[in-house]
Amino acid sequence: QALLCKYPVMANFAKQLNISSLANMDELGWEVIDYHERLILNDTLCVTHGEAIAPESGAGGMKEMKTRMMSGVSGHSHRASITTLRNEQGSFTWCEAGHLASDAVSQEYTHEKITNWQKAIVAMEWDGKDWWPQLLMVKDGRIVYNGRIFR
């Protein structure tokens, strides 16, 4: 903030230093959703940072799903899982999306040598009726999606 006051020309530069512009998301047709915003897609899928936490993978996702009674994706726990629930209200699936931080950052953040976090991303496909989640684990900086390895 002080730097921007002292050097006003930096304000325009600072506006460009965001994930959307750095990753050319506009050109890809992607939209960045604010950290605290929940996105509801087709009235059936909640995409959110999340609020629930639990010590094991899947337990936080189950809490999120039971709270919202809909399918969804969250990343709050930094764990990777796909959890399902079927009850009188329907069938639901919740994905905990893991994280993409380095091990050093994870350890520094938690002050622990080993965290129960998993590196992963979630791919969701919509067929016009249902969502189909795929949990893509990151191993040595690589993921496999549709039979292809990405680095």
Side-chain angles (χ1 to χ4, degrees):
Q1 188 77 14
L3 181 66
L4 296 181
C5 291
K6 190 171 181 180
Y7 302 101
V9 72
M10 296 292 291
N12 189 40
F13 179 70
K15 288 179 187 176
Q16 300 303 313
L17 291 178
N18 62 60
I19 190 69
S20 182
S21 62
L22 291 172
N24 294 320
M25 289 185 174
D26 289 340
E27 291 176 28
L28 295 170
W30 292 11
E31 180 183 356
V32 175
I33 304 301
D34 185 75
Y35 178 78
H36 295 290
E37 208 173 316
R38 286 189 187 102
L39 180 64
I40 306 295
L41 302 172
N42 296 323
D43 295 321
T44 58
L45 184 78
C46 177
V47 180
T48 180
H49 175 263
E51 298 166 1
I53 194 79
E56 298 88 22
S57 294
M62 183 61 76
K63 287 180 182 180
E64 295 281 0
M65 191 168 31
K66 285 182 174 179
T67 298
R68 292 173 176 65
M69 273 305 147
M70 69 185 317
S71 295
V73 178
S74 61
H76 180 61
S77 71
H78 297 202
R79 294 181 181 86
S81 72
I82 295 180
T83 306
T84 60
L85 172 69
R86 183 171 180 245
N87 62 20
E88 60 280 346
Q89 295 179 6
S91 294
F92 308 101
T93 303
W94 198 276
C95 301
E96 290 180 286
H99 74 98
L100 297 174
S102 72
D103 290 336
V105 168
S106 300
Q107 292 163 4
E108 181 180 328
Y109 181 75
T110 62
H111 307 290
E112 296 179 22
K113 291 184 179 181
I114 297 176
T115 58
N116 185 21
W117 294 357
Q118 297 85 40
K119 293 181 185 180
I121 60 173
V122 172
M124 298 295 285
E125 295 193 38
W126 170 253
D127 68 3
K129 181 181 176 215
D130 293 307
W131 291 101
W132 300 91
Q134 296 178 57
L135 185 62
L136 308 173
M137 301 305 294
V138 178
K139 296 181 181 181
D140 296 322
R142 303 171 300 142
I143 63 167
V144 175
Y145 179 68
N146 285 342
R148 291 183 55 203
I149 296 174
F150 295 88
R151 294 187 180 274

